[in-house]
PDB file of all heavy atoms in Angstrom:
ATOM      1  N   ASP Z 383      34.741  27.718  42.526  1.00 97.00           N
ATOM      2  CA  ASP Z 383      33.652  26.988  42.098  1.00 97.00           C
ATOM      3  C   ASP Z 383      32.779  27.633  41.073  1.00 97.00           C
ATOM      4  O   ASP Z 383      31.639  27.199  40.883  1.00 97.00           O
ATOM      5  CB  ASP Z 383      32.784  26.424  43.288  1.00 97.00           C
ATOM      6  CG  ASP Z 383      33.618  25.575  44.252  1.00 97.00           C
ATOM      7  OD1 ASP Z 383      34.447  24.827  43.852  1.00 97.00           O
ATOM      8  OD2 ASP Z 383      33.383  25.934  45.518  1.00 97.00           O
ATOM      9  N   CYS Z 384      33.288  28.730  40.404  1.00 97.00           N
ATOM     10  CA  CYS Z 384      32.447  29.421  39.531  1.00 97.00           C
ATOM     11  C   CYS Z 384      32.104  28.832  38.311  1.00 97.00           C
ATOM     12  O   CYS Z 384      32.733  27.869  37.910  1.00 97.00           O
ATOM     13  CB  CYS Z 384      33.188  30.799  39.142  1.00 97.00           C
ATOM     14  SG  CYS Z 384      34.746  30.559  38.190  1.00 97.00           S
ATOM     15  N   GLU Z 385      31.093  29.177  37.638  1.00 97.00           N
ATOM     16  CA  GLU Z 385      30.695  28.591  36.265  1.00 97.00           C
ATOM     17  C   GLU Z 385      31.829  29.003  35.313  1.00 97.00           C
ATOM     18  O   GLU Z 385      32.371  30.136  35.447  1.00 97.00           O
ATOM     19  CB  GLU Z 385      29.262  29.089  35.871  1.00 97.00           C
ATOM     20  CG  GLU Z 385      29.140  30.561  35.730  1.00 97.00           C
ATOM     21  CD  GLU Z 385      27.887  31.183  35.415  1.00 97.00           C
ATOM     22  OE1 GLU Z 385      26.999  30.305  34.711  1.00 97.00           O
ATOM     23  OE2 GLU Z 385      27.326  32.190  35.837  1.00 97.00           O
ATOM     24  N   PRO Z 386      31.940  28.355  34.143  1.00 98.00           N
ATOM     25  CA  PRO Z 386      32.825  28.755  33.063  1.00 98.00           C
ATOM     26  C   PRO Z 386      32.481  30.133  32.545  1.00 98.00           C
ATOM     27  O   PRO Z 386      31.243  30.356  32.575  1.00 98.00           O
ATOM     28  CB  PRO Z 386      32.620  27.697  32.105  1.00 98.00           C
ATOM     29  CG  PRO Z 386      32.230  26.396  32.795  1.00 98.00           C
ATOM     30  CD  PRO Z 386      31.317  27.031  33.900  1.00 98.00           C
ATOM     31  N   LEU Z 387      33.422  30.773  31.994  1.00 98.00           N
ATOM     32  CA  LEU Z 387      33.164  32.097  31.573  1.00 98.00           C
ATOM     33  C   LEU Z 387      32.115  32.144  30.410  1.00 98.00           C
ATOM     34  O   LEU Z 387      31.293  32.997  30.405  1.00 98.00           O
ATOM     35  CB  LEU Z 387      34.589  32.731  30.982  1.00 98.00           C
ATOM     36  CG  LEU Z 387      34.330  34.105  30.196  1.00 98.00           C
ATOM     37  CD1 LEU Z 387      33.847  35.223  31.211  1.00 98.00           C
ATOM     38  CD2 LEU Z 387      35.742  34.599  29.729  1.00 98.00           C
ATOM     39  N   LEU Z 388      32.175  31.233  29.462  1.00 98.00           N
ATOM     40  CA  LEU Z 388      31.304  31.127  28.278  1.00 98.00           C
ATOM     41  C   LEU Z 388      29.865  30.915  28.916  1.00 98.00           C
ATOM     42  O   LEU Z 388      28.893  31.485  28.269  1.00 98.00           O
ATOM     43  CB  LEU Z 388      31.609  30.078  27.367  1.00 98.00           C
ATOM     44  CG  LEU Z 388      32.896  30.425  26.495  1.00 98.00           C
ATOM     45  CD1 LEU Z 388      33.168  29.385  25.436  1.00 98.00           C
ATOM     46  CD2 LEU Z 388      32.683  31.830  25.801  1.00 98.00           C
ATOM     47  N   ASP Z 389      29.626  30.091  29.956  1.00 97.00           N
ATOM     48  CA  ASP Z 389      28.344  30.010  30.428  1.00 97.00           C
ATOM     49  C   ASP Z 389      27.905  31.264  31.090  1.00 97.00           C
ATOM     50  O   ASP Z 389      26.673  31.631  31.001  1.00 97.00           O
ATOM     51  CB  ASP Z 389      28.359  28.898  31.565  1.00 97.00           C
ATOM     52  CG  ASP Z 389      28.557  27.491  31.026  1.00 97.00           C
ATOM     53  OD1 ASP Z 389      28.467  27.325  29.818  1.00 97.00           O
ATOM     54  OD2 ASP Z 389      28.830  26.504  31.707  1.00 97.00           O
ATOM     55  N   PHE Z 390      28.700  32.034  31.762  1.00 97.00           N
ATOM     56  CA  PHE Z 390      28.473  33.402  32.324  1.00 97.00           C
ATOM     57  C   PHE Z 390      28.094  34.366  31.281  1.00 97.00           C
ATOM     58  O   PHE Z 390      27.000  35.077  31.384  1.00 97.00           O
ATOM     59  CB  PHE Z 390      29.617  33.894  33.162  1.00 97.00           C
ATOM     60  CG  PHE Z 390      29.447  35.177  33.702  1.00 97.00           C
ATOM     61  CD1 PHE Z 390      28.738  35.309  35.127  1.00 97.00           C
ATOM     62  CD2 PHE Z 390      29.923  36.360  33.225  1.00 97.00           C
ATOM     63  CE1 PHE Z 390      28.630  36.572  35.696  1.00 97.00           C
ATOM     64  CE2 PHE Z 390      29.786  37.552  33.723  1.00 97.00           C
ATOM     65  CZ  PHE Z 390      29.148  37.696  35.084  1.00 97.00           C
ATOM     66  N   LEU Z 391      28.735  34.249  30.079  1.00 98.00           N
ATOM     67  CA  LEU Z 391      28.396  35.214  29.062  1.00 98.00           C
ATOM     68  C   LEU Z 391      27.141  34.915  28.350  1.00 98.00           C
ATOM     69  O   LEU Z 391      26.423  35.780  27.837  1.00 98.00           O
ATOM     70  CB  LEU Z 391      29.604  35.228  28.056  1.00 98.00           C
ATOM     71  CG  LEU Z 391      30.894  35.865  28.563  1.00 98.00           C
ATOM     72  CD1 LEU Z 391      32.032  35.730  27.504  1.00 98.00           C
ATOM     73  CD2 LEU Z 391      30.689  37.451  28.835  1.00 98.00           C
ATOM     74  N   GLY Z 392      26.828  33.551  28.257  1.00 96.00           N
ATOM     75  CA  GLY Z 392      25.687  33.165  27.590  1.00 96.00           C
ATOM     76  C   GLY Z 392      25.587  33.616  26.164  1.00 96.00           C
ATOM     77  O   GLY Z 392      26.376  33.338  25.448  1.00 96.00           O
ATOM     78  N   GLU Z 393      24.394  34.181  25.753  1.00 96.00           N
ATOM     79  CA  GLU Z 393      24.101  34.597  24.320  1.00 96.00           C
ATOM     80  C   GLU Z 393      25.070  35.658  23.856  1.00 96.00           C
ATOM     81  O   GLU Z 393      25.169  35.809  22.674  1.00 96.00           O
ATOM     82  CB  GLU Z 393      22.709  35.133  24.231  1.00 96.00           C
ATOM     83  CG  GLU Z 393      21.721  34.062  24.207  1.00 96.00           C
ATOM     84  CD  GLU Z 393      21.589  33.137  23.098  1.00 96.00           C
ATOM     85  OE1 GLU Z 393      20.863  33.426  22.154  1.00 96.00           O
ATOM     86  OE2 GLU Z 393      22.363  32.096  22.987  1.00 96.00           O
ATOM     87  N   VAL Z 394      25.725  36.345  24.852  1.00 97.00           N
ATOM     88  CA  VAL Z 394      26.709  37.372  24.381  1.00 97.00           C
ATOM     89  C   VAL Z 394      27.750  36.847  23.466  1.00 97.00           C
ATOM     90  O   VAL Z 394      28.121  37.401  22.478  1.00 97.00           O
ATOM     91  CB  VAL Z 394      27.420  37.984  25.631  1.00 97.00           C
ATOM     92  CG1 VAL Z 394      28.537  38.913  25.254  1.00 97.00           C
ATOM     93  CG2 VAL Z 394      26.384  38.737  26.497  1.00 97.00           C
ATOM     94  N   ASP Z 395      28.249  35.589  23.812  1.00 98.00           N
ATOM     95  CA  ASP Z 395      29.242  34.984  22.925  1.00 98.00           C
ATOM     96  C   ASP Z 395      28.734  34.764  21.557  1.00 98.00           C
ATOM     97  O   ASP Z 395      29.444  35.152  20.503  1.00 98.00           O
ATOM     98  CB  ASP Z 395      29.700  33.642  23.538  1.00 98.00           C
ATOM     99  CG  ASP Z 395      30.743  32.873  22.741  1.00 98.00           C
ATOM    100  OD1 ASP Z 395      31.754  33.457  22.349  1.00 98.00           O
ATOM    101  OD2 ASP Z 395      30.477  31.752  22.401  1.00 98.00           O
ATOM    102  N   ARG Z 396      27.597  34.215  21.363  1.00 97.00           N
ATOM    103  CA  ARG Z 396      27.010  33.857  19.941  1.00 97.00           C
ATOM    104  C   ARG Z 396      26.799  35.262  19.276  1.00 97.00           C
ATOM    105  O   ARG Z 396      27.162  35.305  18.104  1.00 97.00           O
ATOM    106  CB  ARG Z 396      25.630  33.197  20.194  1.00 97.00           C
ATOM    107  CG  ARG Z 396      25.078  32.940  18.770  1.00 97.00           C
ATOM    108  CD  ARG Z 396      23.568  32.249  18.989  1.00 97.00           C
ATOM    109  NE  ARG Z 396      22.745  33.110  19.726  1.00 97.00           N
ATOM    110  CZ  ARG Z 396      21.953  34.116  19.124  1.00 97.00           C
ATOM    111  NH1 ARG Z 396      22.161  34.373  17.861  1.00 97.00           N
ATOM    112  NH2 ARG Z 396      21.136  34.728  19.802  1.00 97.00           N
ATOM    113  N   ILE Z 397      26.213  36.123  19.922  1.00 98.00           N
ATOM    114  CA  ILE Z 397      25.934  37.352  19.129  1.00 98.00           C
ATOM    115  C   ILE Z 397      27.050  38.384  18.866  1.00 98.00           C
ATOM    116  O   ILE Z 397      27.116  38.894  17.744  1.00 98.00           O
ATOM    117  CB  ILE Z 397      24.755  38.211  20.023  1.00 98.00           C
ATOM    118  CG1 ILE Z 397      23.584  37.323  20.133  1.00 98.00           C
ATOM    119  CG2 ILE Z 397      24.502  39.549  19.382  1.00 98.00           C
ATOM    120  CD1 ILE Z 397      22.548  37.818  21.070  1.00 98.00           C
TER     121      ILE Z 397
END
Side-chain angles (χ1 to χ4, degrees):
D383 300 317
C384 66
E385 63 184 328
L387 175 60
L388 286 182
D389 290 350
F390 179 82
L391 292 174
E393 289 285 271
V394 171
D395 175 55
R396 175 185 65 81
I397 297 171

